[in-house]
Amino acid sequence: MLSVSDETTEAPVDHTAQRRVFRPDDAGYAEEIAGMQTGFATRPDLVFGAENADDVVAAVAHATGAGLPVGVQATGHGVPGASEGGVLISTRRMDAVRIDPGARTATIGAGARWGQVVEAAVEHGLAPLNGTAPSVGAVAYTLGGGLGILGREFGYAADYVRAVDVVTGDGVLRHVTRDSDPELFRGLLGGGAQLGVVTELEIGLVPVARLYGGALTFDGRAVDPAAVLRGYEEWTRTLPDEVTSSLAALVYPDLPQLPPHLRGSYLVLIRVAFTGSEAEGERLVAPLRELGPTVSDTLREMPYADSPSIHGDPDFPHAYYGDNAVLSTLDVEAAADILTLTGPDAAAMHILQLNHLGGALARPAGNADNAVPYREAGWLLRILSPLDGTDVEAHRKVHARAFGLVAPQTLGRSLNFVFGGNDRPEGLYDPETRKRLAGLKATYDPANLFRRNYSVS
């Protein structure tokens, strides 16, 4: 570790400050750049371990003076590809969470994880619009839009942002609201990390203390996965907005590290979150239980603090390649073909997920004008492929075939679920949103410090 004053560059930084700054040969460098995603290595020339907004300002100023690209990482679920050979700002230490129960708001630091925010909010009978995994960075997730477990009832996480503190490319720390700078505010919410480094968000909370939810798990070898898919799609047609759900399918590898009952198993899961009563939840899910025998049924009443159990996302670092398609409608037969393509006969493991959209996701709440695109979408198709030494190019070919099957229904892609090492920028925004973001980029980052960072957590 060295201080900024050890630098020889003429970059306009505060040379008296002693900061956590790491070079590749320094002790602590590897730990500082480590994250959840281990499949795509990045080697920044300099890493700033930021503890506050002043550290972020100093890091951006240094990068500006040295002409280096800047990447940002909180938890490392995504890949800060823009930092390769440049500067990485690690915000994981900036993880303060403050709740104002009267105003129903939370102020969250750039490094806060959703688990921390949920834990703080539930003490007051409130909930954020968090995602499925408590280990995901709350700020980066929200800047990418934020599709959460209550999305159909309340909308995207970006819709509930009240204020953004951000260091833009000119090194200025700005407090941005819809009233103070509506166009910048709009672009930051859904625009990801391309306009600056967000140091803090103020977000709205919703009055949810409990829910009815869980997962139905079917043995994909004992039932027809395509029949489960068809039944699920039909079930979603008449749901109230208070139900948010998804379907997933995966084949577990036959590895000794896994519990015996999972080795080589092929599972199809339907996950449900409903804020209504348990009795009404039981009535709503009854048709799903008729789709076939289950190996597990965890649907139940639960405190909101237990909501991560609905999806049970892994919380350990691992390697993965992933992509997605935002769909206007769901072609069930094409989706069934994708089930086959990614199922037991595939050469490698793939995890398929279909998220049912609509509801409030199509009707922006609160800050209605932001850069989250494709509000008209009905579905999100996601494919995530663990790497584990397998060839990335082979995964790309499988993904290309899969997403090609739904090309006629594809509107674009979701920034939150691009896990491909920043290899493909196409389709992340509609033309009008892309044009407006380009104008903001020219104004607030004309030197292109924050080079399109497609991974946002």
Side-chain angles (χ1 to χ4, degrees):
M1 186 177 78
L2 63 154
S3 70
V4 173
S5 57
D6 292 324
E7 296 299 301
T8 59
T9 178
E10 294 302 316
V13 299
D14 178 2
H15 292 282
T16 64
Q18 299 295 314
R19 307 184 189 277
R20 294 180 184 271
V21 185
F22 303 84
R23 289 192 183 280
D25 292 335
D26 290 335
Y29 175 89
E31 179 182 356
E32 198 67 29
I33 66 172
M36 179 68 75
Q37 166 66 282
T38 63
F40 297 91
T42 182
R43 294 285 292 180
D45 286 353
L46 206 61
V47 181
F48 282 74
E51 297 185 355
N52 51 50
D54 288 342
D55 287 349
V56 175
V57 170
V60 171
H62 175 86
T64 300
L68 296 173
V70 176
V72 187
Q73 177 171 294
T75 66
H77 279 73
V79 183
S83 66
E84 186 70 28
V87 170
L88 174 66
I89 302 175
S90 170
T91 62
R92 60 179 178 160
R93 296 174 181 83
M94 300 170 61
D95 62 351
V97 177
R98 304 188 303 277
I99 306 294
D100 184 336
R104 290 184 181 173
T105 62
T107 302
I108 55 177
R113 301 173 184 240
W114 272 129
Q116 298 169 257
V117 185
V118 170
E119 182 180 3
V122 296
E123 293 183 9
H124 306 282
L126 300 170
L129 297 186
N130 56 289
T132 63
S135 61
V136 166
V139 167
Y141 161 100
T142 302
L143 297 180
L147 174 61
I149 60 174
L150 302 179
R152 278 178 40 84
E153 181 171 3
F154 295 105
Y156 288 96
D159 300 337
Y160 280 73
V161 174
R162 307 285 185 84
V164 184
D165 287 358
V166 58
V167 180
T168 48
D170 53 8
V172 175
L173 175 63
R174 305 171 188 270
H175 182 73
V176 183
T177 68
R178 184 171 43 175
D179 294 332
S180 70
D181 192 334
E183 188 64 11
L184 178 57
F185 185 74
R186 178 189 189 279
L188 289 167
L189 303 177
Q194 61 179 298
L195 299 176
V197 184
V198 171
T199 62
E200 194 170 78
L201 288 182
E202 181 186 335
I203 62 172
L205 303 173
V206 295
V208 174
R210 41 69 58 203
L211 52 76
Y212 172 86
L216 294 174
T217 303
F218 301 87
D219 182 344
R221 303 181 196 277
V223 301
D224 178 3
V228 174
L229 168 65
R230 294 185 186 100
Y232 169 66
E233 187 276 336
E234 183 176 356
W235 176 75
T236 63
R237 296 178 191 175
T238 57
L239 288 179
D241 293 351
E242 291 79 11
V243 179
T244 302
S245 66
S246 64
L247 178 144
L250 69 158
V251 181
Y252 282 96
D254 188 5
L255 296 175
Q257 300 96 305
L258 293 173
H261 71 283
L262 289 180
R263 296 174 192 170
S265 63
Y266 179 32
L267 302 180
V268 181
L269 303 91
I270 298 175
R271 286 84 65 96
V272 175
F274 172 55
T275 56
S277 70
E278 181 177 15
E280 180 63 7
E282 287 286 304
R283 187 191 69 79
L284 286 169
V285 303
L288 297 178
R289 289 190 168 123
E290 295 176 359
L291 296 177
T294 61
V295 296
S296 175
D297 181 342
T298 63
L299 289 164
R300 66 197 189 281
E301 178 101 359
M302 66 176 72
Y304 194 80
D306 290 349
S307 60
S309 67
I310 296 173
H311 286 249
D313 292 320
D315 61 358
F316 53 86
H318 55 289
Y320 45 92
Y321 177 84
D323 209 342
N324 68 89
V326 181
L327 308 177
S328 56
T329 58
L330 184 63
D331 181 333
V332 179
E333 296 311 310
D337 288 341
I338 297 172
L339 273 175
T340 301
L341 179 65
T342 58
D345 294 331
M349 179 182 177
H350 304 284
I351 302 168
L352 177 147
Q353 179 164 309
L354 282 164
N355 289 82
H356 181 219
L357 305 180
L361 296 166
R363 300 188 301 275
N367 303 314
D369 188 24
N370 58 38
V372 181
Y374 310 124
R375 297 278 183 166
E376 69 273 30
W379 293 86
L380 173 68
L381 169 65
R382 300 161 55 187
I383 301 175
L384 190 146
S385 304
L387 295 177
D388 297 330
T390 54
D391 179 35
V392 174
E393 188 55 37
H395 288 321
R396 289 193 178 105
K397 291 178 180 177
V398 172
H399 288 208
R401 289 178 60 193
F403 292 120
L405 291 170
V406 292
Q409 296 80 40
T410 298
L411 300 172
R413 299 159 71 218
S414 169
L415 185 61
N416 275 133
F417 305 107
V418 178
F419 299 121
N422 305 315
D423 64 346
R424 200 161 68 86
E426 297 86 1
L428 293 175
Y429 300 101
D430 59 88
E432 177 61 27
T433 300
R434 187 167 60 247
K435 179 180 177 181
R436 292 179 73 168
L437 288 173
L440 288 167
K441 185 76 170 173
T443 299
Y444 292 101
D445 184 26
N448 196 23
L449 278 182
F450 310 107
R451 298 174 190 172
R452 294 300 297 267
N453 183 344
Y454 299 111
S455 302
V456 292
S457 50

